[in-house]
Each structure stands twice: as structure tokens, then as C-alpha cells.
Amino acid sequence: MTKIAPSILSADFTRLGQEIRTIETADYLHFDVMDGVFVPNISIGIPVLESVRKITEMTLDVHLMIERPHRFAERFADAGADLVVFHLEADEAADVRKAIDAVHGRGKRVGLAIKPATSAEKLLPYLGRIDLALVMTVEPGFGGQRFMEGMLPKVERLRKAIDAEGLQCEIEVDGGVNPETARLCRTAGADVLVAGSDVFRAADRAARIAQLRGELS
Ligand code: DX5
Ligand code: ZN
């Protein structure tokens, strides 16, 4: 069953607690952290994560769009993330490995993300030591952008590699997901679909989440 991860970047932050209640039938809560350096936007960070942790049992999927994430990965794990995902492009290889081990050392899951310009091959050496591979299907930084179909072969490539080696790593897709693009992602082999604007714009969010999973037509 495909998992859905609504991104609270598209929520109304003045009533975040109530907004979270409306998406609790989803599988993960996607929490986008931006530093204004790795991406041209600034969003939310550790204090908000700590507050969210207190009010929900949902799996918190924290997507770090920050430079040199090894500086902060452990702190996000301690602040309540269940899954800490950071960008392969944002750190030196040695620091990427250090951050993976640090998050695992906290008993949390860890993921690596790639931007549209980064090939799936770059992730292959890490698949055996991470829990999730995130393929960006928009340029990171903003919600509400158009899905890049040209990223789907990366999902297929990762699916093949993960299955061939019998690994547990999940494949997540982030950006521009709606019922039509969700179907393409599921077919390509994605396990987790992030959806921000599409879910938060919907009048019936639970129904939309079910639709993105492929449960409704
Ligand atoms: C973009 C973020 C996404 C974003 C997705 O940089 O990583 O998680 O919230 O938003 P939509 O689903 O609107 O493209
Ligand atoms: Zn994201």
C-alpha cells in the first residue's frame, strides 16, 4: 500500500494543531525545513517540530533542505523526528555517512534526498545503509510547483536496485503530487508520496489522501 505524507508547508500555521488533525489518516507528516541557503526560502525548524511532536503520534518525516545537514541531523532526531531526511548534495561524503550513523544512533530512521539535477546513480552506494530515498520532482524550496515527469526514470532505477538487492529502503517522491501524478509515481515504484498543496486545498482531506493512495478512483 502506497503511503501518503502531507506536507504541512501548505497548512495554515496560525492553526497548525487543527490542520494536523485533518490529515491524521495519512501515513507520515512531512515537515519541510529550509535555511535560505540550500534553497531560496526559509520555513520552520526545531521549536515548531518540538510543538508538533507533543500533539501527534504521526510518523514525523523531516525533510532538511539545509546546507551541511550533519550539523543538525541529530538535533532534529532529538526534537521528535521519526525519520530525518537530508540532501546528498548538501554535505561532503564523509559527513553524509557521519550524519546517517548519528541519526541511527538515536534510534531514528534516516533518508537521503536528491534534487532534480542529481542522478539516481549517486544514491546507489547508500541504499544499503538508509531507510528512505527521496526523489525531488520539483526544485526544492516552494510548494505548489509543477511535477517533473522526467524524474520518474530515477524512481524506476531505484526500485530496480532496491528490489534486486532485497533492501528495505523506501522510495519517496516529493513535489507536484496530485491524483494524476500520484498514479505515475505508484506505477514507477514509489512507496511514499509527499503532497502539500493538493491535500491542503482539498475540501475533504481524508478522501484526498485515500485518492492519492489509489484507493478511490
Ligand atoms: C518543496 C518541499 C515539498 C513541498 C511540496 O521544496 O520539499 O515538500 O511542500 O509541495 P507540493 O505538494 O505543493 O508540491
Ligand atoms: Zn519536502
Side-chain angles (χ1 to χ4, degrees):
M1 173 66 72
T2 310
K3 294 176 179 168
I4 305 300
S7 164
I8 56 165
L9 192 61
S10 293
D12 175 352
F13 285 115
T14 64
R15 40 197 296 282
L16 187 53
Q18 292 145 272
E19 292 279 80
I20 289 171
R21 294 279 99 85
T22 69
I23 52 128
E24 279 183 326
T25 57
D27 303 277
Y28 296 169
L29 184 157
H30 189 79
F31 188 101
D32 285 306
V33 178
M34 304 180 186
D35 67 353
V37 181
F38 184 71
V39 290
N41 199 4
I42 296 177
S43 60
I44 47 179
I46 288 170
V48 179
L49 181 61
E50 287 169 341
S51 296
V52 168
R53 178 72 291 167
K54 287 185 195 137
I55 59 123
T56 185
E57 299 288 315
M58 287 183 81
T59 297
L60 300 183
D61 163 24
V62 175
H63 178 194
L64 300 180
M65 287 163 277
I66 65 174
E67 274 299 327
R68 296 165 59 226
H70 74 276
R71 298 172 299 151
F72 286 101
E74 240 171 322
R75 284 172 61 186
F76 279 94
D78 290 344
D82 295 292
L83 178 56
V84 178
V85 183
F86 55 92
H87 275 264
L88 187 56
E89 305 91 352
D91 241 324
E92 305 289 332
D95 288 330
V96 167
R97 286 194 292 271
K98 222 186 277 171
I100 291 171
D101 292 344
V103 174
H104 278 155
R106 290 296 208 252
K108 304 297 180 78
R109 293 158 71 200
V110 66
L112 279 178
I114 51 171
K115 296 209 267 191
T118 305
S119 73
E121 275 64 32
K122 292 258 163 59
L123 274 182
L124 299 181
Y126 294 94
L127 295 179
R129 59 165 83 193
I130 58 176
D131 306 288
L132 180 140
L134 169 53
V135 176
M136 288 303 304
T137 42
V138 298
E139 284 300 339
F142 301 91
Q145 302 182 77
R146 197 187 155 83
F147 184 83
M148 299 166 76
E149 280 193 30
M151 299 298 116
L152 289 169
K154 292 194 205 177
V155 176
E156 291 164 1
R157 178 78 190 84
L158 291 169
R159 179 81 278 150
K160 264 199 201 118
I162 288 166
D163 291 350
E165 294 175 50
L167 300 172
Q168 293 302 310
C169 184
E170 291 186 319
I171 303 173
E172 183 173 60
V173 164
D174 184 5
V177 170
N178 60 37
E180 293 76 55
T181 59
R183 190 174 47 77
L184 302 177
C185 295
R186 293 195 305 266
T187 305
D191 301 293
V192 187
L193 311 181
V194 176
S197 47
D198 189 72
V199 166
F200 283 95
R201 256 201 319 253
D204 184 343
R205 293 172 181 171
R208 196 59 161 195
I209 288 162
Q211 189 180 6
L212 291 170
R213 276 195 193 110
E215 289 173 352
L216 310 169
S217 58

